[in-house]
Amino acid sequence: MSDTDKRMDHTGEGEQQMKMNPAEDNSNILDRALELGIAKCLRDADRLPAFPHVTKDGDWLLSEHARWTGGFFVGMLWLAGALRVDPAILKTARSWAMRLAPRAMDCSTHDMGFLFEPSCVRGHNIQADEQLRSLAISAGRSLASRFVPKGKYIPAWDPSEGQEYLALAIVDTVMNLPIVCWAANETGDNRMHESAVQTAATIREQHIRPDGATYHVVDHDPETGEVTHRGTHQGAHDDSCWTRGQAWTLYGFTRMGVILESEQMMATGRKTADYFLAQLGEKTIPPWDFDRNDANEPVDSAAGAIAATGLIELGRRTGEEDYTQAGERMVHGLIDTCIDFDHPDKPGLLMHGTVDYPRRSGVDESIMYGDHYFMEALVKLRRPELWDILGCC
Ligand code: GLY
């Protein structure tokens, strides 16, 4: 063999070695994505005067009120602090968490888990922080106060935003129930716990179709609590399946299954996950609605990220590896198509999210919850020892 042949042979071996070790390549790309997420949220914590919500015209739209998404930004900062084991980052995370304090008594929305679980429960899990614990308990109480005994549901929004919201429930609420269970457990308040249990049971009964798809909204008669309409708010039409609602559902029921040690809730997590995966097929990023599956329709990377972390959770809790693998496949798909490693200073981590396509709001943008749940999925895959700090279970 000539020297040149040897060199070629050596190069060939190297290539073969790389090909023989795809797991290492896969891990590297996940680590790179995680590092990018850390760098971006730290940069944003330094430069932004208020909570980032969704990108528009190349930068974040901001809100001091924090809308329903401020907790996700804080949650990313806690993850960054835990991953880097850096007290300065944890201090930054805490100061952002404390900016949510005025919202803890907000009884006008179902979003209290979204706001206070990644921010205050996670912060308390990391550093046993009494003030954060107390805010999270208040948030759980505020949400439980919305429970309507006649009908056993929690209305999502406030009638001050529109009378049509008076008795309107949305499936996303299942993701907000863990903080109610957590607060009930912290305080020994059994009534609060029951309100979460009954709300989850109602969502299961009223929003889940026989095939595992979900109705985004269910309206009720405010006098009797009876169902008056099933349909959608952000989906394509009343009988379609809005992908982000389906993602919240599969993750939310999985978590409620764990918290309540309920096989029935876990079965709903599985059933809605199976529907999601069957509709997704070979794709890795879901369309914004499963009834709008054509190539020219916008995708929703945020739904993809929520489903991916939910599937990884489901896989861990049930021991069914197929769910973990499906979630991991989606994470890689998100990295391939929605992460721009070449422009680390660009605001937003995960591109191609869709907030609300029917209203043409936030289409093809980065969205705070997409970034947060994508980073959460990466942590579960690469740093599973941090699983226990993530939230209420
Ligand atoms: N309501 C939460 C969402 O838009 O996903």
Side-chain angles (χ1 to χ4, degrees), residues 68-69 72 110-111 114 156-157 170 172-173 176 216 233-234 242 244-245 248 300 302-303 306 354-356 367 369:
W68 67 277
T69 53
F72 301 126
H110 77 123
D111 290 318
F114 290 135
W157 302 307
I170 69 175
D172 322 20
T173 297
N176 283 310
H216 182 206
H233 181 73
Q234 277 149 276
W242 177 53
R244 198 161 64 252
W248 293 133
D300 181 12
I306 295 156
T354 298
V355 174
D356 185 345
I367 318 173
Y369 35 92

